Amino acid sequence: INSIDFIQSFNPVQSPFQSRIFFYDYNTFYVDASLQWKSERVDVDGNFLYLADNLPLASGLFAPAPLSGGLHFKYNWDRRLFFSLGADAASARTSSIGFTIPWYVDLGAGLEFKFARGWSVYMKGGNLLNMDVRRTPLYSEYGVSVIAGVCLIL
């Protein structure tokens, strides 16, 4: 286990500069665990985060996702062809104003080919389940994404 921490935030204060910015006094408890395994051909890593807080219900704010984590797998064949598969997920978040941020799983896959010393081409796909991924409130990552490119490692 990486850490078990208890955090106390700021005292409740209204900002003198913006009439709608507030700071709330609340406590957060979290447990963060990560695991990694490597061999000559396979890399696997994962992480898990549990959060509990006492954010005031009347605040209208979104609390962080209580559960989140990820699992990633990478396989290399002869140190030339690399295949990766990974998923990141978070549970739903709610606020006191009745709005909910849905849970999501962001599934991704990638392929990389090293064709010369220091040179490779790659292609990666993200959000392969086509879910509404909201890592932060009020910003959505819609649709499947595909990226491709050439790498030069000096």
Side-chain angles (χ1 to χ4, degrees):
I1 293 179
N2 286 350
S3 58
I4 298 176
D5 291 317
F6 184 73
I7 300 171
Q8 174 115 18
S9 73
F10 304 102
N11 292 325
V13 174
Q14 183 172 358
S15 170
F17 305 108
Q18 296 283 335
S19 62
R20 299 304 299 160
I21 296 177
F22 296 91
F23 298 98
Y24 287 94
D25 185 21
Y26 73 97
N27 298 315
T28 300
F29 172 81
Y30 73 94
V31 176
D32 183 16
S34 62
L35 195 60
Q36 185 176 42
W37 180 73
K38 290 187 173 198
S39 71
E40 185 178 334
R41 292 188 176 230
V42 177
D43 296 346
V44 178
D45 67 85
N47 65 312
F48 172 79
L49 177 64
Y50 169 76
L51 287 166
D53 61 53
N54 65 346
L55 190 65
L57 291 176
S59 67
L61 302 173
F62 289 102
L67 298 172
S68 61
L71 184 62
H72 304 272
F73 169 83
K74 188 173 187 179
Y75 176 79
N76 81 69
W77 181 74
D78 201 27
R79 295 188 188 123
R80 287 179 95 42
L81 187 61
F82 296 83
F83 173 74
S84 62
L85 184 65
D88 294 309
S91 61
R93 294 176 277 173
T94 59
S95 75
S96 61
I97 57 175
F99 188 75
T100 299
I101 297 176
W103 65 274
Y104 70 84
V105 175
D106 184 7
L107 180 66
L111 186 63
E112 181 178 3
F113 176 66
K114 293 187 177 184
F115 59 89
R117 186 170 184 235
W119 288 92
S120 67
V121 293
Y122 70 93
M123 179 179 274
K124 294 181 183 178
N127 196 10
L128 299 177
L129 299 176
N130 199 20
M131 295 188 79
D132 180 8
V133 176
R134 296 188 193 187
R135 298 178 207 280
T136 58
L138 308 177
Y139 180 77
S140 292
E141 299 173 26
Y142 287 112
V144 175
S145 64
V146 177
I147 185 169
V150 177
C151 290
L152 170 61
I153 300 173
L154 300 174

